[in-house]
């Protein structure tokens, strides 16, 4: 079976480790029965039992007390850029769990799939939209992930500005302070409310304010060389809001103007090696084709 798993952007400014949107930008991974683990179509260093798609496949089986014997995992088409903050790891993780569920008829509920995938990823902000589609807000209640959906307006146009360099999530998390002030907490909570409202109503100007953040972006922008030029290009092209996609290095830009992404394509060249990917929300989540 082939699983199609979407890219996703976590955080969306103030919603650190909480908000996420799934995109119509996909990895296609084929799973078929085998006597041992065979992984093809990816870098050799990932072709082993630590592969995220395999770990998730095996963990989903363990939910039903089944030990994984073997499986062939073929990375047929991988359009999600790696280590760029577009949820490539989460796409593999949700694909593995979904494949196990389908191949072995495990009958796992969405909640169980979310639990399995969150256990591997560590936090649910990417796996929730990758699994369920749309705009999600997620949290942990004890050990259990809880996710709710919010509406996403069709008036908004999204684009990813993808730098030529990777940014590891571990590094991007290591620069964050352990504690923040009450003022910064209030700043983020209030912006988070604006972001959800603006994404639902399509109010791009409000989104510009709402996507401000004091919890992670001030510490991460310095790791993204070229971010200031990128922001000015976004503005010139009619962008109304910009944030770091997940932990970076990609920037997510939003506008209410049609043709925004084509303008960005035409104006991106001063940023050597950067590329623009037009993003449309995915409302289906990962699925077996
Ligand atoms: N919320 C996470 C972060 C996303 O910003 O570190 C990356 O997994």
């Amino acid at each position: 079976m082939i699983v199609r798993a979407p890219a996703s952007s976590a955080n969306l400014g103030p919603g650190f480790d909480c908000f996420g949107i799934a995109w119509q930008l996909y990895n296609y991974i084929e799973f078929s029965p085998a006597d041992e683990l065979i992984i093809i179509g990816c870098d050799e260093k990932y072709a082993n039992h630590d592969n995220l798609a395999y770990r998730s496949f095996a963990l989903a089986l363990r939910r039903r007390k089944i030990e994984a014997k073997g499986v062939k995992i073929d990375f047929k088409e991988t359009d999600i850029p790696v280590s760029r903050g577009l949820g490539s790891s989460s796409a593999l993780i949700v694909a593995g769990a979904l494949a196990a569920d389908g191949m072995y008829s495990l009958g796992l509920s969405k909640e169980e799939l979310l639990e399995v995938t969150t256990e591997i990823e560590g936090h649910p902000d990417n796996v929730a939209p990758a699994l369920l589609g749309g705009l999600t807000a997620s949290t942990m209640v004890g050990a259990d992930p809880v996710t709710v959906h919010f509406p996403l307006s069709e008036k908004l146009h999204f684009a990813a500005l993808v730098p030529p360099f990777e940014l590891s999530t571990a590094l991007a998390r290591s620069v964050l302070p352990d504690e923040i002030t009450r003022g910064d907490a209030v700043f983020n909570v209030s912006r988070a409310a604006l972001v959800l409202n603006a994404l639902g109503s399509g109010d791009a100007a409000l989104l510009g304010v709402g996507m401000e953040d004091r919890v992670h972006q001030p510490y991460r922008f310095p790791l993204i060389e070229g971010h200031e030029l990128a922001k000015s290009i976004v503005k010139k092209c009619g962008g109304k809001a910009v944030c770091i996609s997940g932990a970076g290095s990609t920037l997510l830009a939003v506008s209410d103007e049609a043709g925004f992404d084509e303008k960005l394509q035409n104006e991106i060249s001063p940023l050597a090696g950067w590329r623009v990917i037009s993003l449309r929300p995915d409302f289906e989540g990962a699925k077996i084709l």
Side-chain angles (χ1 to χ4, degrees):
M1 61 181 55
I2 294 182
V3 181
R4 187 187 78 177
S8 52
S9 292
N11 301 332
L12 308 175
F16 179 67
D17 276 3
C18 175
F19 298 165
I21 298 180
W23 303 118
Q24 292 182 33
L25 172 70
Y26 300 107
N27 283 353
Y28 296 83
I29 308 171
E30 186 175 54
F31 295 78
S32 39
D35 294 332
E36 57 184 341
L37 175 62
I38 303 165
I39 300 180
I40 57 175
C42 70
D43 195 318
E44 219 168 275
K45 69 180 175 206
Y46 300 122
N48 54 53
H49 285 80
D50 290 331
N51 184 285
L52 288 172
Y54 176 71
R55 281 180 52 209
S56 173
F57 182 88
L59 190 63
L61 290 181
R62 279 208 288 284
R63 286 292 290 228
R64 294 289 184 265
K65 314 254 180 294
I66 299 169
E67 277 306 314
K69 289 193 194 86
V71 62
K72 182 176 165 198
I73 304 176
D74 185 352
F75 290 81
K76 288 279 188 200
E77 188 182 327
T78 48
D79 294 335
I80 308 174
V82 176
S83 284
R84 298 293 199 287
L86 283 165
S88 62
S89 306
S90 292
L92 305 191
I93 292 168
V94 300
L98 216 58
D101 187 50
M103 272 172 87
Y104 286 79
S105 303
L106 301 178
L108 294 174
S109 64
K110 289 284 182 199
E111 287 74 22
E112 287 176 297
L113 288 167
L114 191 59
E115 282 165 24
V116 167
T117 53
T118 299
E119 188 172 331
I120 295 187
E121 178 72 319
H123 35 86
D125 54 346
N126 279 107
V127 290
L131 189 64
L132 307 169
L135 165 60
T136 56
S138 308
T139 191
M140 299 300 292
V141 179
D144 299 327
V146 174
T147 290
V148 290
H149 272 104
F150 285 86
L152 196 46
S153 170
E154 287 182 2
K155 289 185 221 160
L156 297 173
H157 304 272
F158 299 90
L161 284 81
V162 187
F165 48 86
E166 299 184 355
L167 181 51
S168 85
T169 300
L171 174 64
R173 290 181 90 81
S174 74
V175 298
L176 304 182
D178 290 331
E179 293 178 359
I180 58 166
T181 64
R182 181 168 55 191
D184 286 353
V186 171
F187 184 97
N188 265 54
V189 170
S190 51
R191 278 357 184 239
L194 300 190
V195 161
L196 293 178
N197 183 288
L199 287 170
S201 66
D203 185 337
L206 185 66
L207 193 61
V209 178
M211 273 195 168
E212 292 174 347
D213 154 73
R214 286 194 188 160
V215 169
H216 67 112
Q217 295 189 160
Y219 310 97
R220 288 174 163 176
F221 271 126
L223 303 175
I224 304 172
E225 203 187 327
H227 72 273
E228 277 166 353
L229 179 56
K231 281 185 196 168
S232 68
I233 291 173
V234 167
K235 203 167 173 194
K236 183 176 165 196
C237 294
K240 305 289 175 8
V242 62
C243 65
I244 299 175
S245 178
S249 53
T250 294
L251 303 186
L252 174 66
V254 195
S255 177
D256 51 0
E257 295 178 21
F260 167 60
D261 41 358
E262 284 116 68
K263 280 191 200 150
L264 276 177
Q265 297 279 10
N266 295 332
E267 298 290 337
I268 195 76
S269 55
L271 282 164
W274 287 54
R275 64 194 175 109
V276 174
I277 303 178
S278 305
L279 296 172
R280 281 201 204 90
D282 164 289
F283 291 102
E284 294 184 284
K287 64 180 210 176
I288 296 169
L289 298 182

